[in-house]
Amino acid sequence: TETKKTDKQEPVKIPEATPETKTDDISTTPKKIRLTHNAFVYNKHGKLIRKGLHIKWIKRDKLVKVLKNAKIVKINGKRYYQIGKNKFVKVANFEITTHAVHFKARLKGNKKVRAYNRAGKFNKHYARPNHTYTFNEKAKINGKTYYKIAGTNNWIPAKKLALKK
């Protein structure tokens, strides 16, 4: 009888894809964000990090340096910024800073223009055609440039504006 010599191969490690954690596209992470208030810190399972009866939280002023290259992670369908090993803070606690501008512009065309909120979703408001508005903020939303009408939460796409001379 002949015996075949087999090479011992190490098992190939396949990265586990868990349904509770998955990363989003890192390019969606804005460059400048600000914590709007003190925030709780969560672990990779979406549970609060506790030390006895005390819940771990972060002061509003502390996260400036840490979040420059933070990536967005989805845990149980909610979005978090990863701020350290097994430390996450909810994205909802942050505000994206925008560029301050101040100019007047006329809306192009003869049809009313849809207005959007800061997340780029239609907010059931319209801007009047051929009307001049004052804009006070500029931001990139979903890769497109939008301007905010002063005194409102209405963002208008840049391609719909005709700069006033």
Side-chain angles (χ1 to χ4, degrees):
T1 61
E2 290 183 35
T3 58
K4 290 184 180 177
K5 188 176 181 182
T6 58
D7 292 332
K8 286 191 174 182
Q9 295 179 344
E10 292 182 24
V12 179
K13 290 185 180 179
I14 300 172
E16 294 181 26
T18 60
E20 65 215 17
T21 61
K22 79 172 191 180
T23 57
D24 282 349
D25 182 16
I26 296 172
S27 65
T28 60
T29 305
K31 289 185 174 49
K32 292 183 180 180
I33 54 177
R34 183 176 65 92
L35 193 58
T36 56
H37 50 80
N38 297 341
F40 293 123
V41 179
Y42 298 87
N43 65 14
K44 65 182 176 184
H45 303 291
K47 303 287 183 191
L48 286 170
I49 295 177
R50 295 176 179 264
K51 195 173 204 177
L53 294 175
H54 301 286
I55 298 171
K56 184 169 177 116
W57 58 281
I58 292 182
K59 284 188 174 188
R60 189 175 93 187
D61 306 336
K62 292 282 184 184
L63 285 178
V64 176
K65 292 178 183 173
V66 177
L67 286 172
K68 274 192 171 179
N69 297 321
K71 67 178 177 179
I72 297 176
V73 177
K74 257 191 182 174
I75 302 173
N76 297 330
K78 295 181 181 161
R79 294 164 37 118
Y80 295 84
Y81 282 115
Q82 185 171 5
I83 60 168
K85 187 175 181 180
N86 197 21
K87 292 181 182 176
F88 303 89
V89 179
K90 286 185 180 179
V91 171
N93 294 327
F94 293 89
E95 177 181 84
I96 299 169
T97 58
T98 56
H99 300 299
V101 295
H102 184 76
F103 69 94
K104 290 187 178 194
R106 183 182 55 80
L107 296 180
K108 293 179 185 176
N110 296 334
K111 295 182 179 180
K112 57 187 175 181
V113 176
R114 286 179 154 212
Y116 300 89
N117 64 11
R118 180 64 187 89
K121 304 274 186 202
F122 174 56
N123 65 2
K124 299 180 183 172
H125 288 96
Y126 293 92
R128 296 192 327 222
N130 287 320
H131 185 78
T132 302
Y133 290 97
T134 302
F135 296 91
N136 63 353
E137 289 185 48
K138 172 185 174 181
K140 280 260 190 208
I141 303 172
N142 299 328
K144 297 177 183 171
T145 304
Y146 286 78
Y147 291 97
K148 181 182 168 201
I149 298 174
T152 68
N153 189 27
N154 296 329
W155 293 80
I156 307 296
K159 66 181 183 179
K160 301 285 186 180
L161 301 177
L163 293 177
K164 190 171 174 93
K165 293 181 181 180

